[in-house]
Structure formats: C-alpha cells, structure tokens
Amino acid sequence: MPPGAASGPPADPGAAPPAPPGDTAAPADQGTPPTPPSALRRRLPLVLAAVLALVLVGVGVAVVRPGPVGQWLGDDPDGSTVAESPEPAPVAVLAAADIGAPVPSPEGMRTVLDPLIGDAALGDRVNLAVADALTGQLLFDRGGGEGTVPASVTKLLTAVTVLTARGPGYRIPTRVVAGAEPGEVVIVGGGDATLSSGAKGFYPGAASLESLAEQVRTALGGTPPTRVVVDSSLFSGPVYGPGWDDDIPTGGYGGAITALMLDGARKDPKAGRGWAERVPEPDLTAGRAFARLLGVPAGAVRKGTAPVAPAGATGGTEPGIELGVVHSPPLIRLVDVMISESDNIVAEALARQVALARGQPASFAGAATAMAEVVPELGLPVDGLTLADGSGLSRNNLISPALLTELLALAAGPDRPELGGIFGGLPVGGWSGTLRDRYGSAPGTAAGAGVVRAKTGTLTRVHAIAGVVTTAEGRLLTFAVLTDQVPPDGMEPARVALDRIAAALATCGCP
C-alpha cells in the first residue's frame, strides 16, 4: 500500500498517495476547433446494447464472433472460428436498454442529484455531467465542461484514442534481428507490455519469449548465439510520468515504462492483480530472460540498437535480418485488460501506440500530444483537456465530465463500432473489476448493483467514476462524476457518495 493511502485493499489499482510538485504537463494540442456535437445527435447504441444483452453465455454454448469482431480477436476472416471452451453460468445483470423508454427531465435530475452532490465527503469541487446515450441530450450539468483531475478514468480516453489510431485488430510485435557482430542477436521491443517469458505469464494469451527463442534457434541453423543486445529505443524520454507521486515507481501500481518488458514489469508473474512489485529495468530483465532461453550468460547481455538490414535482403543472418517475431494479443483485448483491472502499465504502453501511429515520439509527451490530436477528430469537446500520461497516475491530467459522457455515447453508437470495445472491460457494480465490492453494503447504493457499468479513478484526494447506467424505465444514460479536492482521509466516504449518485440514476424516473 502506498504511503498516505487509506488502509485496506484499494478498490482501484490506480490508487496513489499525495503528490509533490510535479513536472509541467505536456500541453494538449488543441488543433482545429471541432464541430460542436449536436445535443440532439441521434446515436442508436447498437454496440452497447449487444454488450449489455449478452454479458455471459450459458454452459456449453459455443460462441461465434461475427463480422469484424472475429477479425479483431484473431478469428478466421470468414468468421468460421468457434470458441469451444464452455462459458460460466449466466448471471442476471445488465438488462438491455429500451430505446423507447422516457427520457428523464433536467428538472427531475436536479431534484434527485442536487442533494447528493452536496455531500461533504465529495469535497469542495464536484463536477458532473449526465446525458442521454441515444440522443446525446445533456440532462444534468454541474461544471461539466471544467477540466478536473480524472485519475484512472483517463484510461477511457486512452482506449478510444488507441482503438481509433491503431485499430482493434493491431498486434504489437517483438522482434529479434541478427546483430552487427558474429554470434550477436538483438531483441527489439515494440511496446508489448504483456509479453511473457513462457506459457505461464501474467496475461492470458500473451506472446512468449520461448516461441521467439525457438524461432531464433531455427533461423541460426543450430549455431548458438553468444551475445544478446536489448534494443528498447522505440520509447524515448523519461521512464516515469510527469505529475506522478514520488512513490509510484516503487509503490506497486506503476513502474518504468520501456519498449521491452515482461508481464507488465512484474518481478513475479504470479503476483495478483493490482499491486505488484515491479523491476527497475524492465528491458534488461526481459533481455536476460531471453538470453537464458538461448543459453547465453547474463553477463553477455547489454543495451544497444539493432542494425538496419541491407536493402533487398530477405534471409540469412546478415546484420539486421529478422530472425523471429511474436505478436501481442489484438489491441481490443489489451484495452479490455487495461479497463477491467485498471492496469497502469498496459495503459502507458497503449498510449505510446497512439503516438507511434500519429508520428509522435513514443514518450509521455508524445503520447499526450497524439491522444489530444485524436479527440477533436472524433467530434469530442476539448475544452478543459490537458494530458500528461495515459494511465491517469499523473495529477497533471485534466478531463471534463462532458468529454467523458460524449465519448461513451460515441462508443455506444453505430458510427464507430471499433470503439465499442471499451465496454467489454467496464466493471459492473457489485459484480466485476474495480466495482466488484461496491454497490450493496453501503446505504443508498444497492440499486446500482448489476446496473451501473463504469470506470473508476482514485488518487489521494481524487475520486472519479464515469460510465453508463440504465434507469428504472430502461433509458440508457452516460454519466461522469469527477472530484479532486476530497479530504485526504476520506477515501471510503467519497466512494460511497459517488456510488449513491450512480445508484440514484438507476432508480430515476425523474419526470
């Protein structure tokens, strides 16, 4: 547990202690002012409706992933691949929304929400926006356009921008090429934070160094390598983010962000979700693990850069020739991991993929600039937006509730089906992820169990939640509540106060 955080297991893996004065955030590139989204924009939430209606499948029922989703997940292009493993028994959560249900009135919303927003546990600054997911109509706005420290809610923006910039089917490569000297091989990191040393890594379905080593042995024709060079030069700049609290590097929720790492830089891949000890030099740790698989001593591992292959060369072992390559799971799966468990290391790796796709340096500053460029291209508001990292560990991040509610509505609509991938990992109140232990025990929150689906954010003094909720009549709403001046010892009361707001939306008729 980081110093200064409340005792007990944190409900959000993005939790962190108080921050000292941080570095200046990279300024968000505002770009050309976007066309203001119409409040009456018609967005039939087909993608989200499918997610809500089919949360779990009965035992023994095979699942076919049709159309582009099958391709994103690595199935056959014709959609013929069927997952044969049985699914768990269905649980009654997340009933489908009714597009014909009445829309709550702004007056009714104020009656319900005003008393809850005034809870002293939320501190002196509470910014909130609620909108109708179908029409985009803003139903409640209190500071909705104001940039507020979002903590891990930032990951929703990271998810949308990486799915836009790279596409849901993109897989991150890790390559090995022949080195400049005889017997030398170079492992080149591509930014896959989920890479494992073997079949039992932390992330299910991750690419394996064992497979990469086997490819290299085959390519070398039995000639054993004598040296391993680690090329992690794809990522540049500081390995720790601006605005991160002092103990983030060693506190177990963050770590050094390098282009080559194993198991999210965990020292032990068997460590549980959330807090885990991280290695200080993830790239060298991965290089040494690769060397062991090749029979190369640890003393023969060093950092360097890969040589460029000769023009027109397609084989052999000349310097720069590729000897092997493995790929991460598709980005749609990495987004799911990032959101469901609030994985900060994966988030920073994905933010750098946005930078690479947009020709920016793969650094904290480059990722922030690239993400800020994508936002207005999607027609989302940039007022109050400042980005410094992709995980939300930075206190220099500022995001408005209005941006989050519009982002969620866009992802739920039919125009950008690839963005619907953000909903697969959104925790469900009282059931999964960082909301697993919320909505039920505290008075006034039970109505949100199985109905609220949202991303949480927690830093000391910062508490946030943003997601979707279905009203008692069946209307689907998007909402975001951000607070960044909560009393330092008020973590649990603040979370309960946030949960009461979302639960009130679930019970709302609000005529």
Side-chain angles (χ1 to χ4, degrees):
M1 173 64 63
S7 61
D12 188 328
D23 298 334
T24 301
D29 183 356
Q30 301 299 314
T32 304
T35 301
S38 169
L40 297 178
R41 177 168 47 193
R42 293 282 172 180
R43 296 186 183 120
L44 181 61
L46 298 177
V47 175
L48 182 55
V51 173
L52 300 183
L54 190 61
V55 176
L56 293 175
V57 181
V59 173
V61 177
V63 179
V64 179
R65 304 183 181 102
V69 175
Q71 297 174 34
W72 298 340
L73 295 179
D75 294 345
D76 294 338
D78 62 2
S80 61
T81 300
V82 175
E84 297 179 355
S85 59
E87 299 284 344
V91 178
V93 296
L94 296 174
D98 177 4
I99 62 173
V103 181
S105 72
E107 295 77 14
M109 282 281 176
R110 284 195 295 271
T111 300
V112 170
L113 295 179
D114 279 347
L116 299 176
I117 295 172
D119 191 326
L122 294 174
D124 297 330
R125 201 161 90 110
V126 185
N127 292 328
L128 169 62
V130 182
D132 179 47
L134 177 61
T135 66
Q137 178 186 356
L138 189 63
L139 302 176
F140 187 91
D141 178 6
R142 171 171 164 168
E146 295 185 19
T148 315
V149 181
S152 283
V153 170
T154 304
K155 294 180 176 74
L156 292 175
L157 199 61
T158 302
V160 164
T161 54
V162 76
L163 289 172
T164 298
R166 278 295 199 205
Y170 183 79
R171 296 172 184 260
I172 304 170
T174 302
R175 303 166 51 242
V176 174
V177 303
E181 303 294 333
E184 187 175 81
V185 296
V186 185
I187 181 167
V188 184
D192 178 11
T194 67
L195 183 69
S196 68
S197 60
K200 296 183 179 180
F202 179 81
Y203 299 96
S208 168
L209 285 184
E210 287 181 345
S211 173
L212 195 55
E214 183 60 33
Q215 293 179 47
V216 171
R217 283 191 288 267
T218 299
L220 294 178
T223 302
T226 57
R227 178 185 295 166
V228 170
V229 175
V230 175
D231 184 348
S232 58
S233 61
L234 183 66
F235 288 3
S236 59
V239 296
Y240 302 117
W244 283 14
D245 292 345
D246 278 350
D247 64 351
I248 289 296
T250 58
Y253 291 109
I257 307 301
T258 56
L260 179 67
M261 65 171 63
L262 299 177
D263 303 302
R266 287 170 174 80
K267 186 174 183 179
D268 178 6
K270 297 179 181 179
R273 300 186 183 280
W275 185 93
E277 185 178 357
R278 317 285 170 158
V279 296
E281 296 182 290
D283 47 1
L284 278 178
T285 298
R288 292 179 185 125
F290 186 58
R292 284 195 298 272
L293 292 170
L294 293 174
V296 175
V301 178
R302 65 175 178 85
K303 287 188 178 183
T305 56
V308 178
T314 57
T317 58
E318 293 182 77
I321 293 295
E322 186 174 284
L323 304 177
V325 61
V326 292
H327 294 85
S328 73
L331 285 191
I332 193 170
R333 285 181 171 160
L334 300 186
V335 165
D336 185 87
V337 167
M338 172 184 67
I339 292 178
S340 63
E341 297 300 331
S342 202
D343 193 308
N344 296 310
I345 304 296
V346 171
E348 297 301 347
L350 292 181
R352 280 160 173 73
Q353 291 301 317
V354 184
L356 291 169
R358 291 307 179 99
Q360 295 287 344
S363 62
F364 284 102
T369 297
M371 289 169 61
E373 288 175 352
V374 174
V375 171
E377 294 173 9
L378 292 171
L380 299 171
V382 296
D383 293 344
L385 177 63
T386 299
L387 292 174
D389 71 9
S391 64
L393 288 174
S394 176
R395 295 177 183 270
N396 296 338
N397 290 329
L398 296 173
I399 300 177
S400 72
L403 170 53
L404 293 167
T405 56
E406 292 208 28
L407 176 156
L408 289 159
L410 177 65
D415 296 334
R416 303 299 298 255
E418 73 277 13
L419 303 185
I422 72 171
F423 294 109
L426 272 185
V428 180
W431 188 66
S432 65
T434 55
L435 294 182
R436 184 181 298 112
D437 299 322
R438 293 167 64 166
Y439 295 96
S441 59
T445 66
V451 179
V452 172
R453 188 162 204 170
K455 180 73 194 76
T456 59
T458 304
L459 296 167
T460 301
R461 302 205 69 184
V462 176
H463 298 274
I465 188 168
V468 294
V469 60
T470 305
T471 68
E473 288 81 6
R475 194 75 182 188
L476 186 67
L477 307 179
T478 64
F479 72 97
V481 192
L482 278 64
T483 67
D484 57 13
Q485 294 182 14
V486 173
D489 58 350
M491 180 175 71
E492 189 57 31
R495 287 177 174 169
V496 171
L498 289 177
D499 291 347
R500 288 195 181 110
I501 291 173
L505 294 176
T507 60
C508 191
C510 304

